Amino acid sequence: MADDETPSQTQESSTAREFSANGTSMSTTDVEAKLDKGNIEEAESSLRERLSLNSEEARTLLGRLEYQRGNVEAALRVLDGIDLQAAIQKLQPSSQQAARLVLEGVYLKVKSLQKLGKFAEAAQDCTNILDAVGRIFPQGIPDAQVESKLPEMISKAVELLPELLKQAGKYQEAMAAYRRVLLNPWNLDNDCCGRIQKAFAVFLLHSGLEAGPPSLGAQADGAYVPKNNLEEAILLLLVLMRKIHHGDIQWDPSVLDHLMYALSLCSQTPVLSKQLEELKPGVFHRTERWNLLALCCSGVGQNKAAMNLLRKSLHINERPNDLTALLLAAKICSEDSQLAAEGVGYAQRAVDNAKGVDEHLKGVGLRMLGLCLGKQAKVSSSDFERSRLQNEALKSLDSALSFEQDNPDIIFELGAHYAEQRNLNAALRFAKKYIDITGGSVMKGWRLLALILSAQQRFAEAEVVIDAALDETGKWEQGPLLRLKAKLKVSQSRPMEAIETYRYLLALVQAQRKSFGPMKIDSQVEDDKVKEFEVWYGLAALYSSLSHWKDVEVCVKKAREMKQYSAELVHTEGFMRQERGEIQEALASYINASLLDPFYVPSKVWIGALLSKLGSNSLPVARTLLSDALRIEPTNRKAWYHLGMVHKDDGRLADAIDCLQAASMLEESDPVENFRSIL
């Protein structure tokens, strides 16, 4: 039924041009002529005499006729005289047709008011209809006693009321109306109820108002009560999905779209995965289902499962050029050095297929290509290949920026890539641009700027930047900034101030944990443990540089309570033993740290350094370890220095000079914290 149709168009439709009531019919011609002359009373009198109708019933037929003819204002003038109280009195099982006609007249009046923009008046009259029906049928309309037209008209009114309140700007009343119409026994069919549930869910998601939980009177004992708009919307959408699964209502793709949006807001994509798996075959093409499942998996960090699904979807016999799947696969690969080479292929295919209406996605593809190339460069075993890949990565990111000139992510990534390559002037330009374009609202931009300044040995300016960032950041998010500030103080030979900063940071972390208490989920607790570990480890490293070994032992012990197996802690213990002259014990600690984390560079460097002092037989092993450290972290100045000393002891003076020069240059541009820490 179209939105403007009345609930009971039969023989009296505008095409038939006749009225029927009480077993009698008459043509509309005479009545229309009277109405055209403005003689409403004569038209009403004619209907009452010919069809044995009372005044309200006759006005309903006249109003319907005017409404169908498109004369909305005229219809309203006719229908304005209907007495709702009279309709209520007649709304009894013995007089259903008469009552239905009059209530239909009120409904037509509501529709007329809506068309004329009088939404508040329309909502009030619509409420009157539902109040009347609710009073007469508190347990719902008995199907056996009521003809089909009355429930149909009531369903239309039930569905219309919240929409009218929204149009009138009465959003809180609309919330209450949605709950009223869904909780009351209106005998709604599945389709009508589904439409209302979907409209309410969308309103909860996008209205910007907080509805609050339902009133106590509407809560059933033992029933789950949603705590906020998002929970209530998800609950409604899950109910709709269940109806779809059972075949009660037809498949509506927008329901799944809204559910995807709602669940993504609260990082509950596994729930969406379950819904997708329950959909019957044929609803989605299998590749579309795989892609959505991959998106759900990647949303909760299950990248391995996501990639397995995407590889199936992008198989040559499926949809190998699906742009969305290619971009998602490239994004996942860009976060893992071991998958970076595979990601380059996906990203390049995405760039090649971003044509026509999808050309706007070419910038996204180029960005993913740049990120994958940059990650691939980090695991390259050849210096030449690493340099080539890094240059290609920068070219791709530059090209991406030409498509999306104000994309802050690309600007940040360019700044970070230039910083890693020690092109500090270019990096500084992009870091400042990132802060400008984000308004200083993103912490990593401040951190990048401070690290670049520290690499330029401008420590005081870097500290000013961190202080500005702290002013812009909530106290619970200040941890990384305070840790960086402590390192800047160390670089300025102010260790006691650095210790105070770490102590303040430790107090902040512990206060944060107490503030949230037992209500926090496990992952949040684990995150806090990691943050507290970083504070204790930072203090241990600081005390180690000051040779305060008892304090180092205390901090290491505290950190181990947070994280039992840590390459960083074992390495710190090794350094402490080395400084005490316990070389074999230190070497054992460094080896254990490397076993815990094969990519932990500091331990590789010190193993190589210590082995180089054990005689010429150990030099090949030391050289291998130091070269491996530089493969992982090409800008580690200590690795270059010790590799240069190994070459010197081995008689390779030219290689030694090159390595020592590299170490000297890197020392002049060494940040207080590795640039990789912000990527």
Side-chain angles (χ1 to χ4, degrees):
M1 182 182 293
D3 182 58
D4 287 338
E5 286 182 355
T6 60
S8 57
Q9 290 177 18
T10 53
Q11 294 95 334
E12 62 268 36
S13 68
S14 57
T15 54
R17 292 297 183 189
E18 67 175 27
F19 295 116
S20 294
N22 298 322
T24 307
S25 299
M26 66 173 287
S27 172
T28 64
T29 305
D30 293 341
V31 175
E32 287 183 271
K34 290 181 172 63
L35 289 173
D36 290 339
K37 294 178 180 178
N39 298 327
I40 297 175
E41 288 75 12
E42 292 183 18
E44 177 189 331
S45 177
S46 177
L47 279 177
R48 290 174 63 181
E49 292 175 4
R50 297 280 299 276
L51 300 180
S52 302
L53 300 174
N54 61 32
S55 176
E56 288 81 9
E57 294 165 351
R59 279 187 173 267
T60 295
L61 293 180
L62 290 174
R64 181 196 299 165
L65 178 62
E66 291 284 42
Y67 188 86
Q68 291 169 350
R69 294 167 70 197
N71 301 330
V72 178
E73 292 184 355
L76 187 58
R77 284 195 296 272
V78 172
L79 296 166
D80 227 6
I82 292 179
D83 186 353
L84 183 62
Q85 288 303 116
I88 293 173
Q89 297 298 323
K90 296 171 183 174
L91 192 54
Q92 303 296 333
S94 59
S95 57
Q96 287 302 316
Q97 181 171 342
R100 184 262 300 169
L101 273 174
V102 178
L103 281 179
E104 182 185 336
V106 180
Y107 175 76
L108 284 170
K109 178 186 175 185
V110 169
K111 292 293 295 180
S112 299
L113 287 167
Q114 183 188 28
K115 283 182 173 293
L116 294 172
K118 299 179 179 181
F119 304 120
E121 295 177 47
Q124 184 57 57
D125 281 345
C126 196
T127 301
N128 291 340
I129 294 176
L130 300 187
D131 288 345
V133 175
R135 231 175 269 124
I136 301 301
F137 298 112
Q139 303 302 318
I141 304 170
D143 292 334
Q145 298 183 24
V146 182
E147 59 169 309
S148 62
K149 296 300 178 182
L150 183 59
E152 180 184 345
M153 186 273 294
I154 293 171
S155 295
K156 296 282 283 183
V158 164
E159 193 171 352
L160 183 60
L161 177 58
E163 298 301 319
L164 290 171
L165 289 167
K166 287 191 293 185
Q167 290 172 334
K170 298 182 177 182
Y171 300 117
Q172 292 293 350
E173 290 90 335
M175 293 276 188
Y178 272 123
R179 286 173 175 161
R180 175 192 178 188
V181 300
L182 288 173
L183 289 170
N184 283 20
W186 300 110
N187 296 72
L188 303 176
D189 61 46
N190 285 327
D191 289 336
C192 179
C193 185
R195 288 193 300 271
I196 296 171
Q197 287 172 325
K198 174 185 164 184
F200 188 22
V202 172
F203 189 53
L204 286 166
L205 285 174
H206 303 293
S207 67
L209 296 175
E210 186 57 50
S215 63
L216 292 175
Q219 299 176 17
D221 291 340
Y224 173 75
V225 179
K227 301 178 182 64
N228 52 47
N229 284 24
L230 185 59
E231 285 193 9
E232 192 166 2
I234 290 173
L235 185 62
L236 286 164
L237 293 167
L238 287 174
V239 168
L240 286 170
M241 289 298 294
R242 181 60 54 196
K243 289 181 177 180
I244 290 171
H245 296 326
H246 291 166
D248 295 332
I249 59 175
Q250 291 185 338
W251 164 243
D252 181 353
S254 67
V255 172
L256 186 61
D257 290 340
H258 292 303
L259 184 59
M260 288 174 65
Y261 169 71
L263 291 172
S264 68
L265 290 178
C266 55
S267 301
Q268 291 297 321
T269 52
V271 178
L272 182 60
S273 296
K274 187 174 185 299
Q275 296 297 318
L276 290 167
E277 290 166 357
E278 289 182 355
L279 287 175
K280 295 178 181 178
V283 173
F284 273 131
H285 191 281
R286 60 176 176 270
T287 56
E288 192 173 351
R289 191 193 299 253
W290 290 336
N291 291 345
L292 288 172
L293 284 170
L295 192 61
C296 293
C297 291
S298 68
V300 289
Q302 298 174 1
N303 287 341
K304 185 177 180 180
M307 282 307 302
N308 288 337
L309 288 162
L310 290 169
R311 289 182 185 114
K312 290 169 62 176
S313 174
L314 293 169
H315 190 273
I316 191 171
N317 295 327
E318 298 294 343
R319 292 182 179 174
N321 297 321
D322 186 292
L323 199 53
T324 304
L326 286 169
L327 290 172
L328 179 57
K331 182 182 184 300
I332 294 171
C333 292
S334 73
E335 299 168 1
D336 187 340
S337 298
Q338 304 305 314
L339 296 175
E342 183 181 358
V344 168
Y346 294 133
Q348 189 61 62
R349 281 160 59 187
V351 172
D352 295 340
N353 285 282
K355 302 173 183 175
V357 295
D358 293 324
E359 191 168 1
H360 65 289
L361 292 173
K362 183 165 285 189
V364 182
L366 285 166
R367 179 192 167 210
M368 291 300 115
L369 180 59
L371 294 178
C372 289
L373 286 166
K375 267 289 193 289
Q376 189 182 2
K378 288 177 172 41
V379 294
S380 175
S381 58
S382 160
D383 290 341
F384 173 79
E385 183 69 7
R386 183 188 304 115
S387 178
R388 183 187 68 81
L389 290 170
Q390 287 174 339
N391 289 333
E392 287 188 13
L394 284 171
K395 286 180 182 177
S396 293
L397 289 173
D398 275 327
S399 298
L401 191 61
S402 68
F403 281 89
E404 303 179 41
Q405 296 181 5
D406 294 324
N407 187 319
D409 292 326
I410 301 175
I411 293 167
F412 176 84
E413 286 148 5
L414 276 166
H417 274 75
Y418 277 120
E420 276 203 288
Q421 294 188 28
R422 297 300 195 270
N423 187 342
L424 298 181
N425 289 330
L428 186 63
R429 186 174 69 253
F430 280 108
K432 288 180 176 178
K433 185 175 181 181
Y434 180 78
I435 289 175
D436 287 341
I437 205 166
T438 58
S441 62
V442 185
M443 182 174 60
K444 67 180 183 179
W446 293 104
R447 288 182 63 206
L448 176 60
L449 179 57
L451 285 177
I452 294 169
L453 290 170
S454 75
Q456 294 178 327
Q457 311 303 303
R458 297 157 67 180
F459 301 115
E461 293 177 59
E463 193 171 345
V464 170
V465 167
I466 293 299
D467 287 336
L470 289 169
D471 290 339
E472 299 290 329
T473 308
K475 68 175 182 177
W476 298 135
E477 289 78 42
Q478 290 180 348
L481 295 171
L482 289 168
R483 194 168 64 246
L484 186 52
K485 183 174 183 177
K487 293 179 180 180
L488 287 168
K489 289 182 179 298
V490 171
S491 297
Q492 297 173 81
S493 302
R494 290 149 57 191
M496 300 314 296
E497 291 182 31
I499 290 171
E500 285 304 311
T501 302
Y502 271 121
R503 285 176 175 169
Y504 173 75
L505 176 55
L506 182 61
L508 186 66
V509 170
Q510 292 173 340
Q512 182 181 13
R513 189 172 66 248
K514 290 178 182 177
S515 175
F516 290 98
M519 296 300 292
K520 292 199 299 183
I521 59 175
D522 292 342
S523 62
Q524 289 176 307
V525 173
E526 196 62 35
D527 283 346
D528 277 351
K529 284 184 178 180
V530 172
K531 290 175 183 176
E532 190 169 346
F533 162 82
E534 289 171 352
V535 180
W536 285 115
Y537 168 66
L539 272 170
L542 176 53
Y543 283 128
S544 179
S545 68
L546 298 172
S547 300
H548 293 183
W549 304 121
K550 288 187 178 180
D551 291 326
V552 172
E553 289 175 354
V554 171
C555 292
V556 167
K557 182 180 178 182
K558 288 287 189 180
R560 186 160 278 124
E561 292 174 4
M562 303 292 109
K563 191 175 179 182
Q564 187 174 1
Y565 301 104
S566 162
E568 295 96 329
L569 291 182
V570 177
H571 175 82
T572 301
E573 290 174 331
F575 184 75
M576 181 169 58
R577 287 167 177 162
Q578 180 181 339
E579 291 297 299
R580 289 174 173 175
E582 303 168 359
I583 301 303
Q584 291 300 325
E585 291 81 357
L587 188 58
S589 293
Y590 292 143
I591 292 171
N592 286 336
S594 291
L595 290 173
L596 282 171
D597 183 356
F599 296 97
Y600 188 65
V601 169
S603 290
K604 289 180 182 290
V605 172
W606 279 116
I607 294 171
L610 290 178
L611 287 176
S612 69
K613 297 176 182 178
L614 297 180
S616 58
N617 290 336
S618 300
L619 292 179
V621 179
R623 184 167 58 249
T624 299
L625 283 164
L626 291 166
S627 297
D628 191 43
L630 288 170
R631 179 187 62 81
I632 299 170
E633 191 178 319
T635 56
N636 189 294
R637 62 180 177 84
K638 291 183 179 179
W640 281 110
Y641 171 78
H642 289 294
L643 182 59
M645 298 307 292
V646 168
H647 284 315
K648 175 178 173 291
D649 292 342
D650 208 20
R652 300 175 178 176
L653 296 182
D655 290 339
I657 291 171
D658 289 341
C659 290
L660 292 172
Q661 283 180 340
S664 177
M665 292 173 62
L666 287 169
E667 187 174 15
E668 294 174 0
S669 61
D670 212 21
V672 295
E673 192 174 283
N674 199 307
F675 285 118
R676 293 188 181 188
S677 65
I678 56 175
L679 290 174

